[in-house]
C-alpha cells in the first residue's frame, strides 16, 4: 500500500512538472462602453519553481490585446500606458486589477455576456488558455480615466 501511494505521488508530481502550472484566478473582462476597449482583471498564479514573464495575450473575440499598467506621473495623477511584459515570480503571482496592471482588449467581436477564450503567452514558451466572462463596465471614475487616456492615444 505504501509503495502504491509513493508511486502515485511521484507520478502526480512528474505530471505537474510537465504541465504549465500557471492559472488565472477570478478572471473577468469588463467591456468598454461603445467602441472603448475592454479590460481583463484577475490574478495570474505561477505554482511552478520557474519564474517567467507574461509577454502577450490573444483572443478570437478581440482584434488585439495589450499589456497595460498605471504609473503615477509627476503631477500625481495615475496614467495608463502599455508595457512589454509583466514579471511572474516562481511560486508567485501578478495581480491584474483596477489602478494597476491590466490587459486592454481592443475590437470586441462578440456579445455582452459571452464567455470568451483568451490565451496568455509566457517568455519561457508556456501558455495558458483561459475562459473569462464578459460584463458591461459600470460607469464610474476609473472608467472615465480610461476613456480620457485612450482618447489621448
Ligand atoms: Cu489600459
Amino acid at each position: 500500500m505504501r509503495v502504491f501511494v509513493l508511486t502515485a505521488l511521484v507520478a502526480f508530481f512528474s505530471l505537474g512538472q510537465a504541465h504549465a502550472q500557471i492559472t488565472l484566478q477570478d478572471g473577468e473582462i469588463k467591456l468598454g462602453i461603445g467602441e472603448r476597449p475592454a479590460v481583463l482583471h484577475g490574478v495570474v498564479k505561477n505554482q511552478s519553481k520557474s519564474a517567467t514573464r507574461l509577454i502577450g495575450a490573444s483572443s478570437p473575440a478581440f482584434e488585439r490585446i495589450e499589456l497595460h499598467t498605471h504609473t503615477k506621473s509627476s503631477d500625481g495623477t495615475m496614467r495608463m500606458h502599455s508595457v512589454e511584459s509583466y514579471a511572474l515570480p516562481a511560486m508567485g503571482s501578478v495581480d491584474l486589477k483596477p489602478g494597476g496592471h491590466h490587459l486592454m482588449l481592443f475590437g470586441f467581436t462578440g456579445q455582452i455576456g459571452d464567455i470568451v477564450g483568451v490565451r496568455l503567452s509566457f517568455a519561457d514558451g508556456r501558455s495558458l488558455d483561459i475562459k473569462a466572462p464578459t460584463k458591461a463596465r459600470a460607469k464610474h471614475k476609473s472608467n472615465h480615466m480610461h476613456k480620457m487616456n485612450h482618447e489621448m492615444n
Side-chain angles (χ1 to χ4, degrees):
M1 185 59 190
R2 178 174 290 178
V3 171
F4 169 76
V5 170
L6 194 65
T7 308
L9 273 175
V10 169
F12 175 77
F13 283 115
S14 315
L15 195 69
Q17 293 294 328
H19 285 70
Q21 291 175 309
I22 300 175
T23 55
L24 179 74
Q25 186 181 298
D26 301 330
E28 71 170 26
I29 294 169
K30 293 187 184 111
L31 296 169
I33 293 163
E35 299 293 302
R36 303 291 171 207
V39 62
L40 186 150
H41 292 139
V43 180
V44 183
K45 290 193 161 181
N46 180 11
Q47 289 162 296
S48 75
K49 289 180 178 147
S50 313
T52 186
R53 302 187 71 84
L54 174 55
I55 56 167
S58 63
S59 168
F62 290 90
E63 285 166 15
R64 79 174 194 281
I65 303 178
E66 294 179 0
L67 278 58
H68 280 194
T69 195
H70 284 88
T71 319
K72 193 176 266 188
S73 60
S74 51
D75 63 0
T77 57
M78 296 298 278
R79 293 262 162 209
M80 181 170 66
H81 57 95
S82 65
V83 292
E84 291 291 309
S85 63
Y86 306 135
L88 182 57
M91 306 303 288
S93 61
V94 56
D95 286 352
L96 306 176
K97 62 183 182 184
H101 297 333
H102 58 279
L103 299 185
M104 208 92 225
L105 308 91
F106 298 84
F108 184 47
T109 56
Q111 301 287 322
I112 293 176
D114 284 357
I115 294 173
V116 303
V118 179
R119 172 168 290 184
L120 305 181
S121 303
F122 299 90
D124 56 7
R126 284 188 280 182
S127 64
L128 172 66
D129 287 317
I130 59 114
K131 291 211 180 295
T134 54
K135 299 177 178 180
R137 184 185 285 169
K139 293 179 186 178
H140 55 63
K141 192 161 165 267
S142 68
N143 175 56
H144 183 61
M145 288 298 292
H146 267 99
K147 276 174 69 175
M148 283 177 33
N149 287 337
H150 279 285
E151 275 165 1
M152 293 169 70
N153 288 341

